[in-house]
Every structure is written in structure tokens, then in C-alpha cells.
């Protein structure tokens, strides 16, 4: 074998090695099909925290047989909502690997600082964290395990099922009084005192009317719904603080109504000050908790005036005689 042949053979060997290297580097990683949380069951989970990168978060904890919000004096959580979340998370697999590049995390909204949702589960005493990011297609969402670069795609869960707001996990009803149960409603605010009563025929009326106005049943129907059904943005605590403004409320609502046994009950709603987001602190006599309600719901009552339930009395247009 000549010297030239040896050189050519060496060059050929290098080319083959280079081709093999490029092929192996471009070869996709063999897909696995493992569950992210094998045998995940609700009885093995003691804590759940869901957050987003803008600061919203909800923290739920299992105490005895009840899921609660420990930061809100153990306000009860709807267990069926927690059960559905656990069942969804238990279906997630690592069979759709998208990338192993950490540089892609920010672009996919799944980095440590920029993410759509973060779920922290304490399973059998060990904390496990998942980041969820962008949705490239309907019913698909990127996710990755905390501390790992691999990003996967799943359709087992979506961002609407990973809400970091408390209202998604609890029954938000403060009270609801049936139409036929309410008898007398009194609202006291800075505009004055407004008393509404129903007669034996079920017709509501009020003596607080401006001259030239009449009680408007259409307006009252909407207002009465706001007075007899109230939902909260989030529960606060069982104990009041001076900053809640409930010792000197801006509005008091008193509702006389009958319960299912026909007993007369006098319910009292106090509306206090606002938080930084404009929500109002409230206390209902039928609950041990203090809540926050939206400014829309609160200000329908704090700004209540006769215009909200009365309308001008129609005046007849005088008829004039005309020649035929």
C-alpha cells in the first residue's frame, strides 16, 4: 500500500467517523412513557400550592379529613376540586419530549422566573414541583419538572385547571336568601336609610321616594338580587383587624327573613374599608369569617340612592281640541 493510499484511507476513516457523529447527535432521544407521579393518589398528598409568576397563589393543606386554606383561618376547600386536580396530574407522562435546552425555557414561558403556573405537591412528605408554560395548540401545554431542563408536552391538564386564585377552589357564596323568605330589608349608608318591605301579595315597596317618583319593580328586582345573594372574592380570617373598617362600617344592611323552619332571622351585613385592589372587607352575621367582596358588588350598596329603585312618575300630555 502506497503512502498516498494510506492518506486516502485515513481521510475516508475520518469522514465516516464524522458522519456517524453527526447522525448520532441528530438522532432523537428515545421517547419514554413514564408517569411523572406514579401511583399519585389524593390520600398521599398533604399540601398543594399553585402560583403564577405575577404573584398570585393559593395554598391548600389537608387537616384531618378536610382540605383547607391555612392562611385564611382554615377556610374549607371543595374536596372535589382537589380530587379532580390530583386525577389530572396523575395522568401526565413524559412521552412527548420537546426540548432539553434550558435556553428555550423563557421562550416557552416555563422558566423559574417566567411561568404560567407552578404546582407544588407534598406527596408522602416530599415536595415535588412542576412548571407549566405556553400552550402551542388547543388542549396541549408545555411542562417540566423543577430543576430539570427537559420540557414535555401534555394534554392531560390545561391552565384553566391550574388556577392560582382562591375563588377557583372554594364555594364563594356568603349567603343566599330565597325570594319568598325575605320580608324587610334596610340599607344604611352615607346617603341615608332605605327601608324596603313586602306585603302579603309579595309586592315590595319603599317609603323613601323623591317627590315625583314611584317605586320601580324592574329596578328593584335587580337590586333585591344583589341584596339577598352575595359572593366573595376571597375569605380573609375569623378575627377582625382595625384596617378592615368593620368597627365603623361605611354601609350596614339588615335583612329580616325566615329560614326553612319558618323561624324569623335578622341577618346583618357590615361593609368596611377597601384593600389595595379595591375589594371591600365585609362581615355577615351568619358566618364566622370575614370576606372580601368586589367593588362592583359593594358599591351597589354603599352608593345606593333612590335613583336605584325609583323612576319618574309618567305625566300625561295634555290633549288639545283640533278642528275636524
Amino acid at each position: 500500500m502506497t503512502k498516498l493510499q494510506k492518506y486516502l484511507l485515513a481521510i475516508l476513516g475520518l469522514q465516516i467517523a464524522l458522519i456517524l457523529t453527526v447522525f448520532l447527535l441528530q438522532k432523537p432521544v428515545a421517547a419514554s412513557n413514564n408517569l411523572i407521579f406514579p401511583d399519585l393518589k389524593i390520600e398521599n398528598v398533604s399540601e398543594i400550592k399553585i402560583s403564577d409568576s405575577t404573584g398570585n397563589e393559593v395554598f391548600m393543606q389537608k387537616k384531618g379529613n378536610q382540605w383547607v386554606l391555612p392562611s385564611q383561618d382554615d377556610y374549607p376547600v371543595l374536596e372535589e376540586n382537589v380530587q379532580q386536580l390530583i386525577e389530572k396530574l396523575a395522568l401526565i407522562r413524559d412521552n412527548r419530549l420537546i426540548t432539553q435546552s434550558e435556553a428555550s425555557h423563557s421562550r416557552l414561558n416555563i422558566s423559574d422566573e417566567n411561568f404560567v403556573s407552578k404546582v407544588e405537591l407534598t406527596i408522602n412528605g416530599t415536595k415535588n414541583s412542576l412548571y407549566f408554560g405556553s400552550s402551542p395548540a388547543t388542549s396541549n401545554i408545555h411542562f417540566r419538572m423543577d430543576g430539570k431542563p427537559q420540557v414535555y408536552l401534555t394534554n392531560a391538564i390545561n391552565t384553566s385547571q391550574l388556577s392560582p386564585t382562591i375563588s377557583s377552589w372554594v364555594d364563594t357564596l356568603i349567603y343566599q336568601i330565597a325570594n319568598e323568605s325575605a320580608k324587610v330589608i334596610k340599607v344604611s349608608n352615607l346617603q341615608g336609610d332605605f327601608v324596603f318591605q313586602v306585603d302579603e301579595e309579595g309586592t315590595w315597596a319603599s317609603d323613601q321616594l323623591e317627590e315625583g317618583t314611584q317605586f320601580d319593580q324592574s329596578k328593584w328586582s335587580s337590586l333585591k338580587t344583589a341584596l339577598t345573594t352575595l359572593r366573595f372574592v376571597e375569605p380573609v380570617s375569623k378575627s377582625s383587624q382595625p384596617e378592615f373598617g368593620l368597627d365603623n362600617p361605611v354601609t350596614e344592611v339588615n335583612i329580616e327573613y325566615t329560614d326553612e323552619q319558618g323561624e324569623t332571622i335578622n341577618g346583618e351585613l357590615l361593609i368596611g374599608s377597601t384593600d389595595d385592589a379595591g375589594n371591600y372587607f365585609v362581615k355577615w352575621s351568619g358566618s364566622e369569617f370575614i370576606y372580601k367582596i368586589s367593588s362592583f358588588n359593594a358599591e351597589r350598596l354603599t352608593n345606593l340612592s333612590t335613583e336605584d329603585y325609583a323612576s319618574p312618575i309618567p305625566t300625561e300630555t295634555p290633549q288639545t281640541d283640533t278642528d275636524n
Side-chain angles (χ1 to χ4, degrees):
M1 180 180 294
T2 66
K3 191 174 183 180
L4 178 59
Q5 289 174 323
K6 290 180 179 179
Y7 282 137
L8 292 174
L9 186 61
I11 292 172
L12 178 61
L14 288 173
Q15 289 177 329
I16 293 173
L18 180 61
I19 291 171
L20 288 173
T21 300
V22 172
F23 173 76
L24 291 173
L25 287 175
Q26 292 183 342
K27 183 179 179 181
V29 178
S32 57
N33 192 31
N34 301 312
L35 291 170
I36 297 299
F37 299 117
D39 301 321
L40 175 61
K41 298 178 181 178
I42 192 170
E43 55 264 30
N44 299 330
V45 181
S46 58
E47 293 181 347
I48 302 173
K49 181 179 179 181
I50 303 176
S51 57
D52 62 23
S53 57
T54 65
N56 296 310
E57 69 174 47
V58 56
F59 176 56
M60 299 174 282
Q61 190 176 65
K62 183 72 172 293
K63 291 189 176 182
N65 295 321
Q66 176 70 56
W67 280 92
V68 299
L69 301 172
S71 300
Q72 284 77 28
D73 270 347
D74 292 347
Y75 194 83
V77 171
L78 295 172
E79 185 169 351
E80 57 265 33
N81 291 13
V82 178
Q83 179 70 54
Q84 291 172 10
L85 173 66
I86 297 300
E87 290 175 354
K88 295 290 185 181
L89 293 172
L91 295 175
I92 298 177
R93 294 180 177 271
D94 63 357
N95 58 349
R96 299 168 69 185
L97 180 64
I98 300 303
T99 179
Q100 298 188 78
S101 170
E102 292 187 10
S104 66
H105 290 179
S106 182
R107 175 174 56 84
L108 298 175
N109 295 331
I110 205 166
S111 67
D112 290 354
E113 296 78 25
N114 177 31
F115 54 88
V116 176
S117 299
K118 181 181 180 181
V119 179
E120 299 170 67
L121 295 174
T122 301
I123 306 172
N124 294 324
T126 301
K127 182 175 289 187
N128 302 265
S129 299
L130 275 177
Y131 287 93
F132 292 89
S134 58
S135 298
T138 304
S139 302
N140 285 274
I141 184 173
H142 291 112
F143 77 92
R144 70 177 179 88
M145 297 291 291
D146 185 29
K148 295 184 178 181
Q150 294 88 347
V151 178
Y152 303 90
L153 202 61
T154 183
N155 61 3
I157 198 167
N158 58 62
T159 51
S160 66
Q161 297 160 331
L162 299 168
S163 173
T165 59
I166 288 175
S167 59
S168 299
W169 302 96
V170 299
D171 182 355
T172 60
L173 188 67
I174 299 177
Y175 66 81
Q176 185 171 40
I177 299 170
N179 285 335
E180 64 277 7
S181 297
K183 304 302 179 185
V184 181
I185 300 176
K186 179 180 178 180
V187 180
S188 299
N189 60 21
L190 295 178
Q191 285 71 247
D193 296 331
F194 306 90
V195 181
F196 308 94
Q197 292 180 301
V198 64
D199 61 22
E200 294 181 356
E201 284 73 38
T203 302
W204 284 85
S206 174
D207 292 334
Q208 287 73 41
L209 292 170
E210 300 289 341
E211 185 176 352
T213 65
Q214 63 184 358
F215 195 79
D216 189 321
Q217 294 293 336
S218 178
K219 287 184 176 181
W220 169 245
S221 178
S222 175
L223 179 58
K224 183 163 69 72
T225 298
L227 285 162
T228 56
T229 301
L230 188 62
R231 292 187 176 274
F232 61 77
V233 173
E234 64 178 75
V236 179
S237 67
K238 294 179 182 178
S239 56
S240 183
Q241 301 296 327
E243 59 267 27
F244 298 167
L246 296 172
D247 292 333
N248 187 26
V250 296
T251 299
E252 296 183 33
V253 179
N254 291 275
I255 307 176
E256 180 185 313
Y257 64 100
T258 55
D259 62 14
E260 295 179 353
Q261 288 73 41
E263 298 291 330
T264 298
I265 298 175
N266 288 288
E268 180 185 60
L269 177 71
L270 304 179
I271 303 178
S273 57
T274 61
D275 66 4
D276 292 339
N279 299 312
Y280 284 72
F281 293 97
V282 301
K283 180 71 172 71
W284 170 245
S285 58
S287 171
E288 59 182 340
F289 283 90
I290 293 167
Y291 305 92
K292 292 180 184 181
I293 65 172
S294 69
S295 58
F296 174 79
N297 287 334
E299 289 170 4
R300 293 191 70 179
L301 308 182
T302 60
N303 297 330
L304 178 68
S305 67
T306 57
E307 294 180 358
D308 296 308
Y309 59 85
S311 59
I313 297 174
T315 57
E316 294 183 2
T317 303
Q319 294 183 353
T320 60
D321 295 331
T322 59
D323 293 334
N324 291 331

